[in-house]
Amino acid sequence: MHIGKIAIIGATGNVGRSIVEMVLTRKLATASQLKLYASDRSEGQTLQLAGSEFTVETTTEASFQDAHLCIFATESPVSKTWIPTALQNGAYVIDSSSEYRLNPDVPLIIPPVNLSLVRKNQKLYAHANCLASPIATVSAPLHRKFGISHIEAVTYQSTAGAGKAAMDECREETHAILEHRPYVRTVFSRQIAFNVIPQVGEMRADGLTFEEYKIIQEIKKVVDPQLSVTATAVRVPVLIGHSIALRLEFVKPILVADVLAALQNSPSVKLSPDLYSTPVEVVGSDDVWVGRVRHDSSRPRDVHLWLCSDNLRRGAATDAVEIADAILGF
Ligand SMILES: NC(=O)c1ccc[n+]([C@@H]2O[C@H](COP(=O)([O-])OP(=O)(O)OC[C@H]3O[C@@H](n4cnc5c(N)ncnc54)[C@H](OP(=O)(O)O)[C@@H]3O)[C@@H](O)[C@H]2O)c1
């Protein structure tokens, strides 16, 4: 089938670069079918990705002409500005930002859970964030099989989750501290090097951060609106890879062996071979790695798990590219 061009908007960013590499290595499209866009700061910049060289262009109205598929790896305001134009041009659109995720008219896709919602006559899709995606990937099959009443997640989020400028700040602040130099932060509100920050995103009036709110609402939208979900999001000085301490409260008492057996057969889930995984060990993997699965002897309906995933892949580039693969298969 002949398809028009595939436009990647935000192609210079962490998620955008991973999407381009994955589209090429998975042979969803050839380099000549891809056009890379970013802000006017990046106009003319050359990117080498998966063995091909691209020249980045500024995003304008013309970027969306003849586009069959547009993948937005941009922050919400940029997605909000340009997605209507892409849709008016008849393109399929996948958005990595939070702009449309909770819109009832837009399917929120976590590919291991609900990729079947991708349909020919639906043009706009959002994928979930890089916490909701791994948590739902693990919880949804367990909920379907055994029934979960409550999910409690404490997240240990890498700096890559806040974009490439945040990773640079983590590196530079680390160097400055080791070399006894002053450092002026521009991304994080508190010291990130050798520290943890129990706030990801702006605070809301109800005491949650917006990140925690998004995790809760996105899990409910995809897994089950009736679920009760709580989350505490913490930023840690890790470059890439999110970790999650997850407590699942089941409707009835459950055996750890039954949870392990169910997870062994769940898509995009891997049981950690050596008790647990750490973030640096899962970089480059598309799966959610599960370890330390254990009972709470005081609460027979509870099971605790330790999850690790590459946040630039699961809940980001991998999810976008799996949705793209389904769209390109129409
Ligand atoms: N990082 C993660 O773990 C993760 C996971 C899931 C979802 N997301 C979401 O994915 C999106 C991208 O995140 P990221 O971490 O890749 O961010 P990032 O590294 O900061 O990259 C942002 C991209 O947006 C581009 N951009 C900025 N202003 C623009 C404009 N006016 N017009 C067109 N492009 C513009 C930037 O281009 P310039 O280089 O020219 O500034 C850059 O390519 C965000 O919505 C984020 O919330 C991120």
Side-chain angles (χ1 to χ4, degrees):
M1 178 184 65
H2 171 76
I3 57 165
K5 74 178 180 188
I6 299 175
I8 316 290
I9 302 92
T12 54
N14 274 338
V15 176
R17 282 178 286 128
S18 294
I19 288 172
V20 175
E21 283 182 340
M22 235 179 249
V23 165
L24 293 174
T25 52
R26 294 183 182 197
K27 302 195 188 314
L28 266 60
T30 60
S32 63
Q33 289 173 300
L34 292 185
K35 291 285 279 181
L36 273 48
Y37 301 99
S39 78
D40 48 14
R41 293 180 292 276
S42 302
E43 170 73 23
Q45 186 182 323
T46 302
L47 287 182
Q48 300 275 354
L49 295 167
S52 297
E53 185 173 295
F54 298 91
T55 303
V56 179
E57 295 176 30
T58 306
T59 310
T60 65
E61 299 261 344
S63 312
F64 305 100
Q65 282 163 15
D66 306 322
H68 177 73
L69 171 64
C70 300
I71 307 179
F72 283 78
T74 49
E75 294 297 339
S76 287
V78 180
S79 296
K80 190 177 178 179
T81 301
W82 289 116
I83 283 177
T85 310
L87 292 170
Q88 276 158 21
N89 279 271
Y92 286 96
V93 173
I94 302 167
D95 186 26
S96 291
S97 85
S98 56
E99 184 60 30
Y100 294 94
R101 287 182 194 152
L102 300 180
N103 182 324
D105 297 328
V106 178
L108 178 61
I109 304 295
I110 296 179
V113 180
N114 64 350
L115 192 62
S116 60
L117 295 181
V118 178
R119 303 259 163 81
K120 196 170 183 176
N121 59 358
Q122 169 71 34
K123 290 285 185 170
L124 173 58
Y125 299 92
H127 70 73
N129 75 43
C130 44
L131 283 309
S133 179
I135 294 169
T137 295
V138 168
S139 306
L142 297 174
H143 182 50
R144 274 197 294 268
K145 200 165 168 70
F146 305 113
I148 291 172
S149 53
H150 181 70
I151 296 176
E152 181 184 324
V154 181
T155 67
Y156 303 79
Q157 301 183 208
S158 70
T159 52
K164 66 182 182 334
M167 295 173 75
D168 292 343
E169 180 147 304
C170 183
R171 283 193 200 92
E172 285 161 22
E173 193 173 46
T174 302
H175 282 298
I177 289 172
L178 290 174
E179 293 158 13
H180 306 288
R181 284 190 283 108
Y183 178 77
V184 180
R185 283 185 290 280
T186 56
V187 179
F188 294 108
S189 58
R190 309 275 181 105
Q191 179 178 321
I192 184 63
F194 308 105
N195 203 10
V196 297
I197 306 174
Q199 178 185 354
V200 181
E202 298 296 311
M203 295 302 304
R204 288 162 43 95
D206 60 5
L208 289 174
T209 65
F210 275 98
E211 180 81 352
E212 290 157 353
Y213 176 79
K214 284 188 293 183
I215 294 169
I216 293 166
Q217 297 304 328
E218 291 174 25
I219 290 172
K220 286 164 76 83
K221 179 169 175 177
V222 172
V223 181
D224 182 348
Q226 304 305 322
L227 268 178
S228 96
V229 184
T230 57
T232 303
V234 182
R235 185 74 69 195
V236 295
V238 169
L239 288 178
I240 302 175
H242 288 348
S243 308
I244 302 153
L246 192 66
R247 180 175 75 85
L248 300 178
E249 186 179 312
F250 289 86
V251 176
K252 295 181 184 158
I254 185 159
L255 297 175
V256 165
D258 289 341
V259 170
L260 288 170
L263 289 178
Q264 231 146 14
N265 297 313
S266 298
S268 303
V269 175
K270 288 266 180 359
L271 297 179
S272 301
D274 190 15
L275 192 58
Y276 56 82
S277 300
T278 68
V280 294
E281 294 161 4
V282 304
V283 171
S285 167
D286 294 312
D287 294 314
V288 184
W289 292 81
V290 181
R292 302 222 40 216
V293 184
R294 64 200 190 278
H295 249 145
D296 181 340
S297 58
S298 63
R299 298 172 63 91
R301 293 192 285 124
D302 283 14
V303 171
H304 294 260
L305 312 92
W306 175 256
L307 275 47
C308 277
S309 57
D310 180 335
N311 59 292
L312 296 181
R313 289 177 166 255
R314 186 50 68 195
T318 301
D319 293 31
V321 169
E322 288 174 352
I323 299 167
D325 197 15
I327 289 171
L328 295 172
F330 291 149

